Amino acid sequence: RSVNNLRKVSNQGTFIRRINETSQERWNNPKQEDEMEYLLAIYGDEKAQANIPPEQQAAGMQEWFKYDETLRKSVKVVSGNGLQPTSSASTVRFKNGKMVTSDGPFAETKEQLGGYYLIDAKDLDEAISWAGKMPNLPGGGSAEVRPVWTFKP
């Protein structure tokens, strides 16, 4: 078996893992740009969101449902979900060689990660374009677009 042989499993360029390929080899050979996945991280102010009247929150969710539907019709959405509030988070660290957990997020910030989409876009420009259409932006939220370093399975 040759370590250099890949077996193509689709026209989109998806390959199965080489038999003897190490994690380091996969790190050195990420997906090509035309196959990139992008994380669209959705940020907002949890405290401000909690003070919005329920009917306005419902209207905001309708905007998200429209965005979600349009996004899914236009690009491959690998995954997308909202996150529970930061008060439900746990932070894990090692201290003096032992695992330590604490309630809540690691750092206090003005904006909190509230959800994400993982999309398969043709390039960074397309991913940024979709992030720019998120309904939370006009109200002061933000979106972070980050290419995903996908290791070949």
Side-chain angles (χ1 to χ4, degrees):
R1 290 177 241 175
S2 170
V3 176
N4 295 321
N5 287 338
L6 294 176
R7 185 167 62 117
K8 193 170 183 178
V9 294
S10 79
N11 289 333
Q12 284 73 41
T14 303
F15 296 89
I16 62 172
R17 182 164 93 82
R18 293 177 275 204
I19 299 299
N20 296 320
E21 185 178 51
T22 66
S23 294
Q24 182 64 45
E25 289 170 321
R26 286 192 302 277
W27 174 263
N28 292 332
N29 298 297
K31 283 185 170 184
Q32 298 302 312
E33 182 72 19
D34 62 343
E35 305 171 19
M36 283 301 288
E37 289 179 351
Y38 294 88
L39 178 72
L40 309 182
I42 305 162
Y43 289 91
D45 183 341
E46 284 181 356
K47 291 178 183 173
Q49 183 69 25
N51 294 325
I52 295 174
E55 51 284 341
Q56 192 175 347
Q57 286 184 11
M61 284 307 300
Q62 289 305 313
E63 291 299 313
W64 276 108
F65 295 144
K66 289 177 197 172
Y67 173 82
D68 184 88
E69 182 179 352
T70 304
L71 179 67
R72 289 175 188 275
K73 287 179 181 178
S74 301
V75 297
K76 178 184 175 192
V77 175
V78 177
S79 180
N81 288 294
L83 300 176
Q84 295 287 332
T86 56
S87 61
S88 67
S90 297
T91 299
V92 180
R93 296 187 198 89
F94 267 80
K95 187 173 185 177
N96 299 322
K98 295 186 181 192
M99 184 177 72
V100 178
T101 61
S102 58
D103 292 337
F106 177 70
E108 291 293 321
T109 61
K110 181 182 174 201
E111 292 183 323
Q112 294 78 37
L113 178 63
Y116 70 94
Y117 283 97
L118 182 60
I119 66 169
D120 205 357
K122 66 181 179 187
D123 57 26
L124 180 60
D125 290 336
E126 182 180 34
I128 288 172
S129 174
W130 279 106
K133 297 173 186 173
M134 288 185 174
N136 66 320
L137 300 182
S142 65
E144 178 181 352
V145 178
R146 190 178 293 189
V148 174
W149 198 298
T150 304
F151 297 107
K152 296 174 184 168

